[in-house]
Amino acid sequence: MESQLFVHVSCVAVAVAFLGLVHVSVSVPFIMLHGISAQCSNARDANFTHLLTNLSGSPGFCLEIGNGVGDSWLMPLTRQAEIACEKVKQMKELSQGYNIVARSQGNLVARGLIEFCDGGPPVYNYISLAGPHAGISSVPMCGSGLFCKLADDLIKGDIYSDFIQDHLAPSGYLKIPTDMTKYLESSKYLPKLNNEIPNQRNSTYKDRFTSLHNLVLVKFQDDKVIVPKDSSWFGFYPDGEFEPLLSAQQTKLYTEDWIGLKTLDVAGKVKFVSVAGEHIRMANEDVVKYVVPYLQNQPSSPIQRLNRKTKEPLHP
């Protein structure tokens, strides 16, 4: 009896030791958030999501908000972020955590998911493609279509009026450096997202942002939509002036660490990437090099698998 017990205990000990050395690959899903004048059913966005899924081996989902193209222009970003939050909380595939890939304006929704979404699943890696993170100083060019004409008509009014803020998505991140008082008082989205408003900085937003495992900020060298293009790296103009262009590290957002960008950077979790090409036109080799590695399966230790079973966040 004692010998049988000894054998049993020994087998358990060996199994535990073996499991401690083995890592199982965990497939972390990702969502893709498209930009303005786009929708998930468009071939370009659908193909990009499929491409990332095929290259990474991880399940990917293009997350649509509202009716796509129309709401990408006319639905305020606060509402877009709320809808995105409810959707990710309802997706069982994301319940243990997920990664985000976002294009252009979709990055403002992505960051809303990270900072504002109460009770949502954790976001691990966030890859930003041409995101207007520090704002844009001019309206994005989009041609002569119906929504562009309507947007142009609205913009001829006061961009910081309640009406335009509530009916034109880009107004939520238009930041005129020579009109900072109105921007901080009346812009309804970006000042909150970037914790810019004095005496109203929210530590929860910063805590959630700094929980990211990796933040990949991709700037497109020939971008003429995001003005200045360095906004994709959180660079912008100084208050009151259109020059000089400040790098991210020269801005107060960084030096005073309003949202935790400096904290992430010091920890080595921020990748500032510059690629050739026009706005969100990314070469496949750059996609493979700068996007795919952050979507690929992550190793999971036995303890992480146990956490997953007990509904604790999985940290790939």
Side-chain angles (χ1 to χ4, degrees):
M1 183 70 178
E2 289 181 357
S3 61
Q4 290 178 335
L5 179 60
F6 175 78
V7 171
H8 176 73
V9 172
S10 298
C11 290
V12 171
V14 170
V16 170
F18 176 75
L19 285 172
L21 297 175
V22 173
H23 287 77
V24 175
S25 183
V26 175
S27 182
V28 177
F30 71 89
I31 63 168
M32 202 280 284
L33 293 162
H34 62 69
I36 203 165
S37 292
Q39 59 188 29
C40 289
S41 60
N42 287 352
R44 183 177 178 182
D45 292 285
N47 290 342
F48 187 63
T49 305
H50 292 320
L51 174 68
L52 294 179
T53 297
N54 291 337
L55 290 174
S56 68
S58 297
F61 309 89
C62 182
L63 194 71
E64 190 64 271
I65 298 169
N67 66 7
V69 173
D71 283 338
S72 75
W73 272 101
L74 304 178
M75 182 184 290
L77 287 169
T78 300
R79 182 59 185 146
Q80 290 195 37
E82 290 171 351
I83 291 174
C85 177
E86 290 307 311
K87 284 196 171 187
V88 300
K89 286 195 289 188
Q90 292 171 12
M91 293 178 65
K92 293 181 180 179
E93 299 92 340
L94 310 182
S95 62
Q96 296 298 317
Y98 64 106
N99 300 318
I100 297 178
V101 179
R103 289 168 138 181
S104 194
Q105 179 178 279
N107 285 284
L108 281 303
V109 180
R111 287 183 53 209
L113 274 174
I114 296 167
E115 296 180 41
F116 302 154
C117 188
D118 295 330
V123 178
Y124 300 133
N125 299 321
Y126 168 33
I127 302 97
S128 164
L129 308 179
H133 294 293
I136 57 173
S137 60
S138 65
V139 179
M141 299 178 296
C142 68
S144 57
L146 173 62
F147 293 114
C148 298
K149 184 179 184 306
L150 179 57
D152 185 59
D153 290 341
L154 286 172
I155 290 164
K156 289 176 181 176
D158 181 0
I159 196 67
Y160 297 128
S161 69
D162 284 343
F163 180 78
I164 295 182
Q165 288 287 311
D166 292 339
H167 293 88
L168 183 66
S171 70
Y173 54 98
L174 265 168
K175 183 177 181 180
I176 311 303
T178 53
D179 202 3
M180 287 298 295
T181 299
K182 267 194 169 182
Y183 164 76
L184 291 173
E185 289 178 350
S186 303
S187 181
K188 295 186 177 182
Y189 195 74
L190 192 63
K192 177 182 176 183
L193 190 71
N194 279 347
N195 257 341
E196 293 182 84
I197 305 173
N199 304 318
Q200 294 185 33
R201 296 196 175 111
N202 190 311
S203 61
T204 298
Y205 303 159
K206 181 177 178 178
D207 290 343
R208 290 173 176 172
F209 194 65
T210 54
S211 71
L212 290 170
H213 292 194
N214 291 285
L215 170 62
V216 183
L217 300 172
V218 180
K219 175 180 71 174
F220 290 74
Q221 295 165 10
D222 299 318
D223 199 329
K224 294 180 175 60
V225 175
I226 306 298
V227 180
K229 60 189 174 187
D230 276 48
S231 181
S232 295
W233 284 0
F234 284 90
F236 206 70
Y237 305 110
D239 291 358
E241 304 289 341
F242 275 96
E243 58 182 28
L245 177 60
L246 303 177
S247 68
Q249 291 78 6
Q250 293 173 311
T251 64
K252 287 185 178 180
L253 179 143
Y254 185 96
T255 60
E256 298 181 6
D257 213 17
W258 295 343
I259 60 168
L261 180 62
K262 181 179 180 180
T263 297
L264 283 172
D265 193 20
V266 170
K269 297 181 178 181
V270 183
K271 283 72 179 173
F272 295 95
V273 177
S274 178
V275 298
E278 299 177 0
H279 185 65
I280 69 171
R281 295 190 177 277
M282 195 171 191
N284 283 348
E285 54 266 33
D286 287 332
V287 172
V288 171
K289 184 175 182 180
Y290 299 117
V291 180
V292 172
Y294 300 97
L295 303 179
Q296 288 178 319
N297 293 351
Q298 302 291 332
S300 169
S301 69
I303 291 178
Q304 288 172 322
R305 295 197 298 277
L306 178 61
N307 285 342
R308 193 178 186 189
K309 290 178 181 178
T310 57
K311 304 302 182 181
E312 291 296 324
L314 174 67
H315 299 288

PDB file of all heavy atoms in Angstrom, residues 34-60:
ATOM      1  N   HIS A  34     -12.395  49.982 -38.657  1.00  0.00           N
ATOM      2  CA  HIS A  34     -12.082  50.726 -39.877  1.00  0.00           C
ATOM      3  C   HIS A  34     -12.157  52.234 -39.652  1.00  0.00           C
ATOM      4  O   HIS A  34     -12.613  52.715 -38.612  1.00  0.00           O
ATOM      5  CB  HIS A  34     -13.020  50.308 -41.018  1.00  0.00           C
ATOM      6  CG  HIS A  34     -14.469  50.591 -40.760  1.00  0.00           C
ATOM      7  ND1 HIS A  34     -14.988  51.870 -40.701  1.00  0.00           N
ATOM      8  CD2 HIS A  34     -15.527  49.752 -40.545  1.00  0.00           C
ATOM      9  CE1 HIS A  34     -16.296  51.824 -40.484  1.00  0.00           C
ATOM     10  NE2 HIS A  34     -16.644  50.537 -40.366  1.00  0.00           N
ATOM     11  N   GLY A  35     -11.734  52.966 -40.653  1.00  0.00           N
ATOM     12  CA  GLY A  35     -11.719  54.416 -40.572  1.00  0.00           C
ATOM     13  C   GLY A  35     -12.965  55.055 -41.138  1.00  0.00           C
ATOM     14  O   GLY A  35     -13.991  54.395 -41.356  1.00  0.00           O
ATOM     15  N   ILE A  36     -12.883  56.347 -41.392  1.00  0.00           N
ATOM     16  CA  ILE A  36     -14.017  57.114 -41.890  1.00  0.00           C
ATOM     17  C   ILE A  36     -14.269  56.767 -43.362  1.00  0.00           C
ATOM     18  O   ILE A  36     -13.357  56.337 -44.084  1.00  0.00           O
ATOM     19  CB  ILE A  36     -13.746  58.627 -41.717  1.00  0.00           C
ATOM     20  CG1 ILE A  36     -15.047  59.426 -41.688  1.00  0.00           C
ATOM     21  CG2 ILE A  36     -12.795  59.146 -42.775  1.00  0.00           C
ATOM     22  CD1 ILE A  36     -14.890  60.829 -41.163  1.00  0.00           C
ATOM     23  N   SER A  37     -15.513  56.883 -43.784  1.00  0.00           N
ATOM     24  CA  SER A  37     -15.933  56.562 -45.160  1.00  0.00           C
ATOM     25  C   SER A  37     -15.690  55.093 -45.511  1.00  0.00           C
ATOM     26  O   SER A  37     -15.460  54.751 -46.670  1.00  0.00           O
ATOM     27  CB  SER A  37     -15.220  57.458 -46.182  1.00  0.00           C
ATOM     28  OG  SER A  37     -15.645  58.788 -46.072  1.00  0.00           O
ATOM     29  N   ALA A  38     -15.728  54.232 -44.516  1.00  0.00           N
ATOM     30  CA  ALA A  38     -15.499  52.802 -44.750  1.00  0.00           C
ATOM     31  C   ALA A  38     -16.533  51.995 -43.994  1.00  0.00           C
ATOM     32  O   ALA A  38     -17.268  52.513 -43.150  1.00  0.00           O
ATOM     33  CB  ALA A  38     -14.093  52.409 -44.316  1.00  0.00           C
ATOM     34  N   GLN A  39     -16.599  50.710 -44.298  1.00  0.00           N
ATOM     35  CA  GLN A  39     -17.460  49.793 -43.555  1.00  0.00           C
ATOM     36  C   GLN A  39     -16.938  48.380 -43.736  1.00  0.00           C
ATOM     37  O   GLN A  39     -16.201  48.087 -44.674  1.00  0.00           O
ATOM     38  CB  GLN A  39     -18.909  49.890 -44.007  1.00  0.00           C
ATOM     39  CG  GLN A  39     -19.161  49.593 -45.471  1.00  0.00           C
ATOM     40  CD  GLN A  39     -20.590  49.907 -45.877  1.00  0.00           C
ATOM     41  OE1 GLN A  39     -21.239  50.780 -45.316  1.00  0.00           O
ATOM     42  NE2 GLN A  39     -21.089  49.176 -46.871  1.00  0.00           N
ATOM     43  N   CYS A  40     -17.309  47.511 -42.814  1.00  0.00           N
ATOM     44  CA  CYS A  40     -16.749  46.159 -42.796  1.00  0.00           C
ATOM     45  C   CYS A  40     -17.067  45.356 -44.053  1.00  0.00           C
ATOM     46  O   CYS A  40     -16.316  44.451 -44.422  1.00  0.00           O
ATOM     47  CB  CYS A  40     -17.250  45.403 -41.566  1.00  0.00           C
ATOM     48  SG  CYS A  40     -16.545  45.997 -40.004  1.00  0.00           S
ATOM     49  N   SER A  41     -18.182  45.674 -44.701  1.00  0.00           N
ATOM     50  CA  SER A  41     -18.558  44.920 -45.895  1.00  0.00           C
ATOM     51  C   SER A  41     -17.793  45.358 -47.136  1.00  0.00           C
ATOM     52  O   SER A  41     -17.845  44.688 -48.164  1.00  0.00           O
ATOM     53  CB  SER A  41     -20.070  45.059 -46.144  1.00  0.00           C
ATOM     54  OG  SER A  41     -20.423  46.421 -46.330  1.00  0.00           O
ATOM     55  N   ASN A  42     -17.078  46.484 -47.051  1.00  0.00           N
ATOM     56  CA  ASN A  42     -16.248  46.910 -48.181  1.00  0.00           C
ATOM     57  C   ASN A  42     -15.147  45.878 -48.411  1.00  0.00           C
ATOM     58  O   ASN A  42     -14.562  45.359 -47.454  1.00  0.00           O
ATOM     59  CB  ASN A  42     -15.598  48.266 -47.914  1.00  0.00           C
ATOM     60  CG  ASN A  42     -16.604  49.409 -47.995  1.00  0.00           C
ATOM     61  OD1 ASN A  42     -17.744  49.212 -48.399  1.00  0.00           O
ATOM     62  ND2 ASN A  42     -16.178  50.592 -47.606  1.00  0.00           N
ATOM     63  N   ALA A  43     -14.860  45.624 -49.650  1.00  0.00           N
ATOM     64  CA  ALA A  43     -13.856  44.611 -49.984  1.00  0.00           C
ATOM     65  C   ALA A  43     -12.513  44.930 -49.335  1.00  0.00           C
ATOM     66  O   ALA A  43     -11.835  44.036 -48.820  1.00  0.00           O
ATOM     67  CB  ALA A  43     -13.697  44.512 -51.499  1.00  0.00           C
ATOM     68  N   ARG A  44     -12.147  46.209 -49.317  1.00  0.00           N
ATOM     69  CA  ARG A  44     -10.828  46.581 -48.792  1.00  0.00           C
ATOM     70  C   ARG A  44     -10.700  46.236 -47.296  1.00  0.00           C
ATOM     71  O   ARG A  44      -9.692  45.688 -46.859  1.00  0.00           O
ATOM     72  CB  ARG A  44     -10.593  48.074 -49.011  1.00  0.00           C
ATOM     73  CG  ARG A  44      -9.222  48.549 -48.562  1.00  0.00           C
ATOM     74  CD  ARG A  44      -9.047  50.021 -48.889  1.00  0.00           C
ATOM     75  NE  ARG A  44      -7.762  50.511 -48.420  1.00  0.00           N
ATOM     76  CZ  ARG A  44      -7.373  51.769 -48.537  1.00  0.00           C
ATOM     77  NH1 ARG A  44      -8.176  52.649 -49.111  1.00  0.00           N
ATOM     78  NH2 ARG A  44      -6.200  52.158 -48.086  1.00  0.00           N
ATOM     79  N   ASP A  45     -11.732  46.544 -46.540  1.00  0.00           N
ATOM     80  CA  ASP A  45     -11.677  46.276 -45.105  1.00  0.00           C
ATOM     81  C   ASP A  45     -11.852  44.794 -44.806  1.00  0.00           C
ATOM     82  O   ASP A  45     -11.184  44.246 -43.926  1.00  0.00           O
ATOM     83  CB  ASP A  45     -12.743  47.106 -44.384  1.00  0.00           C
ATOM     84  CG  ASP A  45     -12.436  48.593 -44.436  1.00  0.00           C
ATOM     85  OD1 ASP A  45     -11.534  49.025 -43.712  1.00  0.00           O
ATOM     86  OD2 ASP A  45     -13.082  49.309 -45.216  1.00  0.00           O
ATOM     87  N   ALA A  46     -12.758  44.145 -45.536  1.00  0.00           N
ATOM     88  CA  ALA A  46     -12.955  42.707 -45.344  1.00  0.00           C
ATOM     89  C   ALA A  46     -11.691  41.946 -45.693  1.00  0.00           C
ATOM     90  O   ALA A  46     -11.274  41.025 -44.976  1.00  0.00           O
ATOM     91  CB  ALA A  46     -14.127  42.227 -46.194  1.00  0.00           C
ATOM     92  N   ASN A  47     -11.051  42.322 -46.795  1.00  0.00           N
ATOM     93  CA  ASN A  47      -9.830  41.636 -47.213  1.00  0.00           C
ATOM     94  C   ASN A  47      -8.702  41.838 -46.205  1.00  0.00           C
ATOM     95  O   ASN A  47      -7.900  40.928 -45.972  1.00  0.00           O
ATOM     96  CB  ASN A  47      -9.387  42.132 -48.595  1.00  0.00           C
ATOM     97  CG  ASN A  47     -10.318  41.688 -49.704  1.00  0.00           C
ATOM     98  OD1 ASN A  47     -11.102  40.757 -49.522  1.00  0.00           O
ATOM     99  ND2 ASN A  47     -10.252  42.353 -50.847  1.00  0.00           N
ATOM    100  N   PHE A  48      -8.640  43.033 -45.624  1.00  0.00           N
ATOM    101  CA  PHE A  48      -7.571  43.300 -44.649  1.00  0.00           C
ATOM    102  C   PHE A  48      -7.756  42.444 -43.402  1.00  0.00           C
ATOM    103  O   PHE A  48      -6.798  41.876 -42.872  1.00  0.00           O
ATOM    104  CB  PHE A  48      -7.559  44.786 -44.284  1.00  0.00           C
ATOM    105  CG  PHE A  48      -6.384  45.185 -43.427  1.00  0.00           C
ATOM    106  CD1 PHE A  48      -5.090  45.069 -43.915  1.00  0.00           C
ATOM    107  CD2 PHE A  48      -6.562  45.686 -42.156  1.00  0.00           C
ATOM    108  CE1 PHE A  48      -3.993  45.438 -43.140  1.00  0.00           C
ATOM    109  CE2 PHE A  48      -5.483  46.052 -41.368  1.00  0.00           C
ATOM    110  CZ  PHE A  48      -4.195  45.930 -41.867  1.00  0.00           C
ATOM    111  N   THR A  49      -8.986  42.319 -42.946  1.00  0.00           N
ATOM    112  CA  THR A  49      -9.266  41.475 -41.781  1.00  0.00           C
ATOM    113  C   THR A  49      -8.920  40.023 -42.076  1.00  0.00           C
ATOM    114  O   THR A  49      -8.307  39.337 -41.251  1.00  0.00           O
ATOM    115  CB  THR A  49     -10.749  41.584 -41.375  1.00  0.00           C
ATOM    116  OG1 THR A  49     -11.084  42.960 -41.165  1.00  0.00           O
ATOM    117  CG2 THR A  49     -11.024  40.810 -40.095  1.00  0.00           C
ATOM    118  N   HIS A  50      -9.299  39.546 -43.261  1.00  0.00           N
ATOM    119  CA  HIS A  50      -8.984  38.166 -43.649  1.00  0.00           C
ATOM    120  C   HIS A  50      -7.474  37.963 -43.768  1.00  0.00           C
ATOM    121  O   HIS A  50      -6.942  36.920 -43.375  1.00  0.00           O
ATOM    122  CB  HIS A  50      -9.655  37.812 -44.973  1.00  0.00           C
ATOM    123  CG  HIS A  50     -11.150  37.722 -44.895  1.00  0.00           C
ATOM    124  ND1 HIS A  50     -11.815  37.160 -43.829  1.00  0.00           N
ATOM    125  CD2 HIS A  50     -12.127  38.151 -45.756  1.00  0.00           C
ATOM    126  CE1 HIS A  50     -13.120  37.222 -44.019  1.00  0.00           C
ATOM    127  NE2 HIS A  50     -13.336  37.827 -45.177  1.00  0.00           N
ATOM    128  N   LEU A  51      -6.787  38.961 -44.323  1.00  0.00           N
ATOM    129  CA  LEU A  51      -5.344  38.866 -44.473  1.00  0.00           C
ATOM    130  C   LEU A  51      -4.675  38.706 -43.107  1.00  0.00           C
ATOM    131  O   LEU A  51      -3.816  37.827 -42.924  1.00  0.00           O
ATOM    132  CB  LEU A  51      -4.802  40.115 -45.172  1.00  0.00           C
ATOM    133  CG  LEU A  51      -3.269  40.222 -45.276  1.00  0.00           C
ATOM    134  CD1 LEU A  51      -2.726  39.156 -46.221  1.00  0.00           C
ATOM    135  CD2 LEU A  51      -2.855  41.624 -45.751  1.00  0.00           C
ATOM    136  N   LEU A  52      -5.080  39.532 -42.141  1.00  0.00           N
ATOM    137  CA  LEU A  52      -4.491  39.451 -40.805  1.00  0.00           C
ATOM    138  C   LEU A  52      -4.808  38.110 -40.141  1.00  0.00           C
ATOM    139  O   LEU A  52      -3.962  37.537 -39.450  1.00  0.00           O
ATOM    140  CB  LEU A  52      -5.009  40.602 -39.937  1.00  0.00           C
ATOM    141  CG  LEU A  52      -4.593  42.013 -40.350  1.00  0.00           C
ATOM    142  CD1 LEU A  52      -5.202  43.036 -39.405  1.00  0.00           C
ATOM    143  CD2 LEU A  52      -3.082  42.151 -40.384  1.00  0.00           C
ATOM    144  N   THR A  53      -6.015  37.624 -40.353  1.00  0.00           N
ATOM    145  CA  THR A  53      -6.406  36.326 -39.789  1.00  0.00           C
ATOM    146  C   THR A  53      -5.544  35.206 -40.368  1.00  0.00           C
ATOM    147  O   THR A  53      -5.033  34.351 -39.645  1.00  0.00           O
ATOM    148  CB  THR A  53      -7.887  36.046 -40.069  1.00  0.00           C
ATOM    149  OG1 THR A  53      -8.685  37.039 -39.420  1.00  0.00           O
ATOM    150  CG2 THR A  53      -8.290  34.677 -39.547  1.00  0.00           C
ATOM    151  N   ASN A  54      -5.373  35.224 -41.679  1.00  0.00           N
ATOM    152  CA  ASN A  54      -4.602  34.171 -42.341  1.00  0.00           C
ATOM    153  C   ASN A  54      -3.127  34.219 -41.953  1.00  0.00           C
ATOM    154  O   ASN A  54      -2.495  33.180 -41.740  1.00  0.00           O
ATOM    155  CB  ASN A  54      -4.753  34.285 -43.858  1.00  0.00           C
ATOM    156  CG  ASN A  54      -6.154  33.945 -44.330  1.00  0.00           C
ATOM    157  OD1 ASN A  54      -6.891  33.235 -43.652  1.00  0.00           O
ATOM    158  ND2 ASN A  54      -6.543  34.482 -45.485  1.00  0.00           N
ATOM    159  N   LEU A  55      -2.574  35.414 -41.860  1.00  0.00           N
ATOM    160  CA  LEU A  55      -1.152  35.551 -41.560  1.00  0.00           C
ATOM    161  C   LEU A  55      -0.828  35.247 -40.102  1.00  0.00           C
ATOM    162  O   LEU A  55       0.233  34.707 -39.788  1.00  0.00           O
ATOM    163  CB  LEU A  55      -0.670  36.963 -41.905  1.00  0.00           C
ATOM    164  CG  LEU A  55      -0.603  37.325 -43.392  1.00  0.00           C
ATOM    165  CD1 LEU A  55      -0.251  38.797 -43.558  1.00  0.00           C
ATOM    166  CD2 LEU A  55       0.416  36.460 -44.122  1.00  0.00           C
ATOM    167  N   SER A  56      -1.740  35.603 -39.208  1.00  0.00           N
ATOM    168  CA  SER A  56      -1.471  35.438 -37.777  1.00  0.00           C
ATOM    169  C   SER A  56      -1.946  34.099 -37.223  1.00  0.00           C
ATOM    170  O   SER A  56      -1.437  33.624 -36.202  1.00  0.00           O
ATOM    171  CB  SER A  56      -2.142  36.560 -36.984  1.00  0.00           C
ATOM    172  OG  SER A  56      -3.559  36.438 -37.024  1.00  0.00           O
ATOM    173  N   GLY A  57      -2.939  33.514 -37.879  1.00  0.00           N
ATOM    174  CA  GLY A  57      -3.523  32.287 -37.355  1.00  0.00           C
ATOM    175  C   GLY A  57      -4.479  32.524 -36.212  1.00  0.00           C
ATOM    176  O   GLY A  57      -4.935  31.577 -35.566  1.00  0.00           O
ATOM    177  N   SER A  58      -4.803  33.767 -35.944  1.00  0.00           N
ATOM    178  CA  SER A  58      -5.728  34.110 -34.861  1.00  0.00           C
ATOM    179  C   SER A  58      -7.058  34.583 -35.443  1.00  0.00           C
ATOM    180  O   SER A  58      -7.092  35.236 -36.485  1.00  0.00           O
ATOM    181  CB  SER A  58      -5.132  35.228 -33.995  1.00  0.00           C
ATOM    182  OG  SER A  58      -3.951  34.793 -33.370  1.00  0.00           O
ATOM    183  N   PRO A  59      -8.166  34.264 -34.778  1.00  0.00           N
ATOM    184  CA  PRO A  59      -9.467  34.683 -35.285  1.00  0.00           C
ATOM    185  C   PRO A  59      -9.628  36.202 -35.232  1.00  0.00           C
ATOM    186  O   PRO A  59      -9.314  36.828 -34.216  1.00  0.00           O
ATOM    187  CB  PRO A  59     -10.463  33.988 -34.349  1.00  0.00           C
ATOM    188  CG  PRO A  59      -9.680  33.703 -33.110  1.00  0.00           C
ATOM    189  CD  PRO A  59      -8.264  33.472 -33.538  1.00  0.00           C
ATOM    190  N   GLY A  60     -10.086  36.773 -36.336  1.00  0.00           N
ATOM    191  CA  GLY A  60     -10.258  38.221 -36.407  1.00  0.00           C
ATOM    192  C   GLY A  60     -11.667  38.607 -36.783  1.00  0.00           C
ATOM    193  O   GLY A  60     -12.351  37.891 -37.525  1.00  0.00           O
TER     194      GLY A  60
END
